[in-house]
């Protein structure tokens, strides 16, 4: 008698799943396809809805590798439907986080954010010492790993670091040293990448602190008695050398980073080659800036071209966009404006196609769902992302509109000042977008510093700011706006090598107390201030205009 097929056990499926997740994290397409071919029949025979969700999620991953968008979408939709029958658990959180990463890789940010929100809320409930938490598990640690990778793809680096660190705390309580090693390496990588971002924004002290954390996490990983995959170990080497650079140890970082970059190009994966090239390019750029005469600019640009190709080939759209932007900046610095425009145009096109509203959408969905699930701490974190402009730290337009909607016009005077940076487009065109970002950052700081106590400054859009002046009469608003104009005009802009100093034009409007016309609302008041801003621009810039004012004070030269 011929024996029947051996029954499928959860242990068999678990082992197959961990192998497939490991291949996914290494971006090893061949190993993933082979592993899924071997496990497909066992997954199909499993009746549990959790395994059904995994079967569809892994099929979606194969569709992504094959470039089959329909198969990817169908797999994600079927996996989400199967999860509807699954109880809240670490395994459910892991499927959600894995699906979120699939959607982020497929450049579907809205869907990725929805899934990431669900995964984040569930891990919040399960993390020790949360009330609903059970024992730390490998599934929970891996859920944090995939969630962290997703948040990075959505440009939410602060949250990505937090998720990686939470995963590390879970993994530290587990007996498996391999998971602990992976989470330590991820923490090192995420801290290092956030340090790079903060250094670009001018936050050098905090960047150095995060780089120190990255170095400590990398050292902790090396101290574990594990034998990681070659690509995983090479990635740790890249991150550690890059962290040295972010820690301002540039010369100490160069030799190790060149060594691992050569090794990766001999035997590493496509994505890892791009990552090593990007890290080395950034180090060489900093060395060129630090040493008189430069000398590394051409090599840095060539490395960025290679990195961009690698990231495009592996569907890492976020890092592909970073390479385009940095290529534009690098070629502009080398005096090649036509080439710089090519790269910057490609960056703008790619960014416009991508998830420009990712922060805002993430926060909206998180706030809505967190209220339903009463997860107040997470809601507060993401509410800040919804209402704060990341470049200047000011409240954004959404925050300003909420504030204005809550004011009672007519109960007491209210003035608005709309502030616009003069000739800002020329700053970006003549220098670089990084210079433009620095101008906006400084203007925001000057407006905040020189506003009256109780006044509120917001970044309205682009190079336009809004100052809300509660209780300010027309005369008081005009005096306050003139003080702001003068603060910007008198500031020292010499270190930015601009063709002209930065100035602002300001339009002011006031709704007096007891005004019967105040019922038209704040939008009408804003439109009036905006019209006076236009008048200030037409009148020669660097001036304040308000109702009844023939010509505001001006220090600049008319255009």
């Amino acid at each position: 008698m011929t024996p029947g097929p051996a029954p499928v056990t959860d242990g068999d499926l678990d082992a197959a799943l961990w192998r497939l997740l490991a291949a996914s994290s290494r971006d090893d397409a061949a190993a993933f396809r082979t592993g899924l071919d071997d496990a497909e029949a066992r997954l199909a025979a499993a009746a549990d809805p959790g395994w059904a969700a995994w079967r569809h999620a892994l099929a979606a991953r194969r569709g992504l590798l094959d470039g089959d968008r329909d198969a990817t979408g169908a797999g994600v939709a079927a996996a989400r439907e199967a999860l509807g029958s699954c109880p809240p658990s670490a395994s459910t959180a892991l499927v959600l986080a894995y699906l979120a990463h699939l959607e982020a890789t497929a450049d579907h940010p809205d869907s990725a954010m929805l899934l990431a929100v669900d995964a984040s809320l569930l891990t919040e409930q399960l993390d020790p010492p949360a009330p609903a938490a059970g024992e730390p598990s490998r599934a929970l640690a891996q859920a944090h790993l995939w969630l962290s990778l997703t948040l990075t793809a959505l440009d939410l680096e602060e949250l990505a670091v937090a998720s990686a660190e939470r995963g590390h705390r879970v993994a530290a309580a587990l007996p498996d040293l391999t998971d602990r090693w992976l989470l330590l390496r991820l923490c090192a990588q995420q801290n290092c990448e956030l340090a790079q971002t903060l250094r670009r924004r001018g936050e050098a002290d905090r960047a150095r602190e995060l780089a120190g954390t990255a170095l400590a996490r990398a050292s902790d990983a090396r101290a574990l008695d594990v034998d990681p995959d070659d690509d995983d170990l090479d990635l740790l080497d890249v991150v550690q050398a890059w962290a040295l650079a972010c820690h301002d140890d540039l010369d100490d970082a160069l030799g190790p980073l060149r060594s691992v970059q050569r090794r990766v190009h001999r035997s590493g994966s496509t994505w890892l080659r791009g990552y090593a090239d990007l890290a080395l390019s950034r180090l060489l750029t900093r060395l060129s800036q630090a040493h008189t005469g430069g000398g590394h600019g051409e090599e840095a640009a060539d490395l960025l071209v290679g990195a961009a190709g690698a990231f495009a080939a592996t569907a890492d759209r976020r890092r592909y966009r970073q390479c385009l932007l940095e290529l534009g900046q690098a070629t502009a610095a080398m005096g090649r404006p036509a080439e710089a425009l090519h790269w910057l145009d490609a960056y703008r096109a790619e960014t416009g196609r991508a998830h420009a509203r990712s922060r805002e959408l993430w926060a909206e969905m998180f706030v809505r769902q967190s209220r339903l699930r009463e997860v107040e701490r997470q809601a507060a974190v993401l509410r800040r992302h919804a209402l704060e402009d990341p470049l200047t730290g000011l409240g954004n337009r959404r925050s300003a509109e909420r504030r204005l909607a809550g004011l009672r016009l007519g109960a007491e005077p209210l003035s608005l000042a709309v502030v616009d940076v003069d000739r800002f487009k020329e700053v970006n065109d003549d220098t670089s977008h990084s210079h433009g970002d620095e101008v906006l950052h400084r203007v925001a700081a000057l407006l905040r510093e020189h506003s009256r106590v109780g006044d509120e400054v917001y970044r309205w859009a682009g190079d336009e700011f809004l100052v809300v002046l509660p209780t300010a009469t027309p005369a008081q608003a005009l005096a306050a706006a003139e003080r702001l104009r003068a603060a910007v005009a008198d500031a020292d802009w010499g270190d930015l090598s601009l063709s002209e100093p930065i100035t602002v034009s300001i339009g002011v409007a006031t709704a007096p107390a007891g005004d019967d016309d105040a019922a038209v609302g704040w939008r009408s008041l804003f439109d009036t201030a905006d019209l006076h801003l236009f008048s200030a621009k037409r009148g020669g810039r660097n001036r304040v205009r308000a109702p009844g004012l023939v010509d505001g004070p001006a220090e600049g030269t008319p255009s």
Side-chain angles (χ1 to χ4, degrees), residues 232-248:
D232 283 337
L233 191 56
D234 286 339
L235 177 54
L236 181 63
D237 288 344
V238 173
V239 168
Q240 194 163 10
W242 189 0
L244 278 172
C246 291
H247 201 258
D248 292 335

Side-chain angles (χ1 to χ4, degrees), residues 467-508:
V467 184
V468 180
L469 302 96
T471 74
T473 64
Q476 291 169 336
L478 185 59
E482 170 56 20
R483 184 166 63 249
L484 298 178
R485 183 207 62 77
V488 175
D490 294 342
D492 182 4
W493 300 94
D495 61 311
L496 293 183
S497 301
L498 303 171
S499 58
E500 295 184 18
I502 297 298
T503 61
V504 294
S505 298
I506 305 177
V508 179

Side-chain angles (χ1 to χ4, degrees), residues 27 64 104-107 271 309-320:
D27 201 27
L64 192 61
T105 305
D107 217 14
W271 181 89
F311 293 138
T314 54
D316 189 337
R317 308 308 299 182
R318 175 177 179 268
R319 293 188 176 90
Y320 174 63

Side-chain angles (χ1 to χ4, degrees), residues 150-307:
T150 302
L151 292 169
T152 295
L154 296 174
D155 284 322
L156 292 163
E157 291 178 282
E158 296 268 8
L159 295 176
V161 169
S163 188
E165 293 288 349
R166 285 163 60 195
H168 161 53
R169 288 194 290 273
V170 174
L174 300 176
D176 191 332
L177 295 182
T178 301
D179 281 333
R180 198 179 306 176
W181 191 94
L182 284 173
L183 267 299
L184 281 168
R185 190 211 66 200
L186 180 65
C187 286
Q189 181 181 356
Q190 302 294 50
N191 276 283
C192 182
E193 292 205 10
L194 181 56
Q196 173 76 30
T197 298
L198 293 178
R199 178 169 292 283
R200 177 172 51 82
R201 294 178 186 168
E203 300 179 42
D205 291 342
R206 183 151 181 253
R208 198 175 298 109
E209 177 185 341
L210 288 167
T213 301
L215 290 169
R217 294 286 185 261
S219 296
D220 290 344
R222 293 187 187 283
L224 295 177
D225 186 17
V226 296
D227 186 19
D229 175 87
D230 286 344
D231 267 10
D232 283 337
L233 191 56
D234 286 339
L235 177 54
L236 181 63
D237 288 344
V238 173
V239 168
Q240 194 163 10
W242 189 0
L244 278 172
C246 291
H247 201 258
D248 292 335
D249 302 322
L250 303 184
D251 293 328
D252 291 341
L254 184 58
L257 193 48
R258 279 200 183 280
S259 176
V260 67
Q261 190 257 358
R262 286 193 294 268
R263 186 168 70 247
V264 162
H265 271 264
R266 287 195 299 269
S267 59
S269 67
T270 300
W271 181 89
L272 186 55
R273 292 199 297 273
Y275 198 76
D277 285 352
L278 177 59
L280 181 55
S281 170
R282 287 171 168 171
L283 173 56
L284 292 175
T285 298
R286 287 195 61 197
L287 285 169
S288 291
Q289 295 167 347
H291 301 304
T292 304
H296 298 291
E298 289 289 351
E299 183 183 0
D302 289 344
L303 287 166
L304 281 172
V305 172

Side-chain angles (χ1 to χ4, degrees), residues 294-463:
H296 298 291
E298 289 289 351
E299 183 183 0
D302 289 344
L303 287 166
L304 281 172
V305 172
F311 293 138
T314 54
D316 189 337
R317 308 308 299 182
R318 175 177 179 268
R319 293 188 176 90
Y320 174 63
R321 288 189 287 272
Q322 290 176 342
C323 289
L324 294 178
L325 176 59
E326 291 177 31
L327 274 165
Q329 294 168 338
T331 49
M334 289 188 287
R336 304 200 312 241
E339 188 176 347
L341 283 173
H342 165 78
W343 295 117
L344 291 173
D345 284 344
Y347 168 74
R348 279 192 288 268
E350 178 71 15
T351 303
R353 191 182 64 81
H355 42 89
R357 293 180 63 240
S358 63
R359 288 176 179 269
E360 186 175 332
L361 282 171
W362 167 273
E364 288 174 352
M365 289 182 287
F366 198 105
V367 169
R368 183 173 69 248
Q369 296 196 34
S370 63
R371 283 174 178 164
L372 293 174
R373 295 178 175 140
E374 299 180 351
V375 186
E376 282 302 323
R377 187 183 67 80
Q378 287 275 13
V381 170
L382 291 168
R383 191 178 296 114
R384 188 184 75 241
H385 280 282
L387 301 177
E388 181 181 290
D389 173 54
L391 175 63
T392 63
L394 299 175
N396 61 14
R397 178 170 178 164
R398 172 182 291 272
S399 177
E401 289 180 340
R402 287 189 179 185
R403 174 71 174 114
L404 290 167
L407 293 172
R408 290 182 56 213
L409 274 70
E412 55 185 8
L414 172 70
S415 295
L416 299 182
V418 182
V419 182
D420 188 87
V421 180
D422 295 328
R423 300 184 180 88
F424 183 70
K425 183 178 183 300
E426 296 175 16
V427 174
N428 282 332
D429 292 345
D430 294 345
T431 55
S432 69
H433 283 269
S434 60
H435 277 68
D437 286 351
E438 178 61 22
V439 166
L440 294 176
H441 188 271
R442 293 192 194 182
V443 168
L446 288 166
L447 294 178
R448 189 157 39 191
E449 178 185 352
H450 293 278
S451 291
R452 306 179 313 158
V453 174
D455 290 351
E456 302 165 26
V457 184
Y458 300 89
R459 185 180 179 193
W460 187 255
D463 59 326

